[in-house]
Amino acid sequence: PWPAEIDHFSASMLKMFDRCPEQARRRYIKGEKIAPGAALIQGRADHAAIEHNFKRKLDTGEDVSVSDVQFVFAEQLDAEIEENGGVTEIDFGKKVKGKTEKRKAAGAMKDSGVKLVTAYRVQECPSFYPTEVEEMFEVNVPGIPVPINGRIDVVGYRQVAFAAPDEKQPLRIVDRKTTNRSFKVPERDWRVQAGIYMLHRWLPHEWHLSVKTKEPKIITPDQHEMEGLVLKPSPLLKRQTTMKLRHLARAFATMYAAFGPDEPWDGAILHQFACDYCGFRSSCPWWFTEYNLASRKAVVA
């Protein structure tokens, strides 16, 4: 039986279930929400600022000013913090505690984020011309009873410096990531998401990385030794993506049939790195002993 609570899949939902079924149960079956991490808040604001630029460029053919992009980022960051209950509700990591420390962390995040979004606007936007921005789509995969919904950041082309102005350049899907470190090849779950996008648009998929180093770093496949950050469509990739999606859908339905919506599902206990960044950890049955012991020690003290 298919879970009545699920009327569609998304790349985010499937990636979460693949990482930790229990986290997916609580987020998508039970509808529980947790305090967002600072990285997620910054990433959303960065995304909104560049989206604003490309939407305007789609209409006018020109980028907005650098100061405009900076303003949209700062405004969106403040709005994200406010919508999530204020700065005290944002997770800045275990070492940042208390209202004062969180306010300082929020200020530092805004300063570094402005630099990061500025670097992308200055280095990459002038040569890229969008044809679609924030394109919503829905694909149906045989064997999966619900559609897979998604949203592509931007589709467009890069105007090569030595090319004629009217020379048609190839389109590509661009997926922007804000990260703490550089990558020469995409992460495993990025490839699954790219495969889903390509089921909708049969185009090369490339990643642009905005790396949150002291001096912001922008990485794209056009740079030397970064050619691995582009994935080209192929029948093999389509087949493997379809197989992976079917496997995840079957596993999701099986887990639901076995345990239902209220009993705990399998956890990511063998991948503790994922648990370290999960807001459900303190109430997760897989970590109950750890937190129960800590509570007992606190009571004794």
Side-chain angles (χ1 to χ4, degrees), residues 242-264:
T242 302
M243 287 177 60
K244 180 64 175 178
L245 294 175
R246 287 174 178 166
H247 166 75
L248 290 172
R250 283 196 300 267
F252 196 99
T254 299
M255 196 72 69
Y256 188 93
F259 301 105
D262 300 318
E263 291 296 321

Side-chain angles (χ1 to χ4, degrees), residues 20-301:
C20 177
E22 172 61 6
Q23 187 182 35
R25 178 190 73 87
R26 296 185 62 171
R27 176 64 185 86
Y28 292 103
I29 297 291
K30 304 303 293 181
E32 298 180 29
K33 293 186 178 181
I34 54 178
L40 179 62
I41 293 291
Q42 181 180 340
R44 287 175 178 170
D46 182 282
H47 186 96
I50 300 301
E51 175 190 339
H52 167 75
N53 177 76
F54 281 144
K55 281 186 174 180
R56 186 70 61 85
K57 193 170 187 176
L58 193 60
D59 294 332
T60 66
E62 297 181 355
D63 295 297
V64 301
S65 66
V66 172
S67 61
D68 195 3
V69 168
Q70 294 172 339
F71 175 78
V72 172
F73 170 82
E75 189 176 56
Q76 185 63 32
L77 186 70
D78 290 339
E80 288 282 347
I81 292 175
E82 186 65 25
E83 288 174 12
N84 286 280
V87 71
T88 57
E89 297 300 316
I90 306 301
D91 183 5
F92 289 95
K94 297 179 180 179
K95 295 182 179 180
V96 181
K97 298 179 181 180
K99 191 173 183 178
T100 301
E101 289 187 14
K102 287 195 172 187
R103 285 191 181 280
K104 289 181 180 179
M109 177 174 64
K110 179 180 286 190
D111 292 341
S112 63
V114 165
K115 291 181 180 179
L116 196 65
V117 78
T118 300
Y120 190 85
R121 161 61 184 83
V122 171
Q123 295 179 35
E124 294 300 319
C125 291
S127 62
F128 190 83
Y129 290 82
T131 56
E132 287 91 14
V133 179
E134 293 297 304
E135 182 184 12
M136 305 291 295
F137 70 88
E138 178 179 289
V139 295
N140 293 285
V141 177
I144 301 180
V146 294
I148 300 175
N149 296 349
R151 180 169 57 188
I152 297 176
D153 288 358
V154 61
V155 177
Y157 62 92
R158 185 177 300 281
Q159 187 61 48
V160 182
F162 52 80
D166 59 346
E167 182 180 342
K168 193 172 183 179
Q169 300 297 322
L171 293 177
R172 77 266 312 259
I173 297 170
V174 171
D175 189 1
R176 298 185 57 250
K177 303 285 188 184
T178 54
T179 71
N180 290 321
R181 64 184 183 90
S182 303
F183 294 87
K184 290 187 177 182
V185 294
E187 293 277 78
R188 182 175 66 97
D189 58 347
W190 298 3
R191 294 173 62 90
V192 174
Q193 184 170 1
I196 294 174
Y197 289 175
M198 280 189 249
L199 292 177
H200 171 63
R201 296 291 298 266
W202 196 250
L203 295 171
H205 184 113
E206 65 180 44
W207 289 269
H208 291 185
L209 309 182
S210 294
V211 188
K212 295 182 282 188
T213 47
K214 187 174 182 179
E215 289 300 322
K217 184 188 301 183
I218 307 300
I219 298 175
T220 71
D222 299 293
Q223 299 170 7
H224 181 57
E225 295 184 353
M226 293 300 171
E227 296 87 349
L229 288 174
V230 60
L231 196 61
K232 296 180 179 180
S234 69
L236 177 60
L237 176 62
K238 181 178 181 179
R239 175 177 177 273
Q240 294 301 108
T241 299
T242 302
M243 287 177 60
K244 180 64 175 178
L245 294 175
R246 287 174 178 166
H247 166 75
L248 290 172
R250 283 196 300 267
F252 196 99
T254 299
M255 196 72 69
Y256 188 93
F259 301 105
D262 300 318
E263 291 296 321
W265 291 6
D266 185 22
I269 196 72
L270 297 180
H271 305 281
Q272 188 171 340
F273 70 92
C275 298
D276 290 341
Y277 297 97
C278 179
F280 294 125
R281 177 166 170 167
S282 61
S283 58
C284 177
W286 293 95
W287 292 98
F288 176 78
T289 302
E290 172 190 334
Y291 283 89
N292 189 44
L293 181 60
S295 298
R296 290 169 65 182
K297 287 182 177 179
V299 171
V300 172

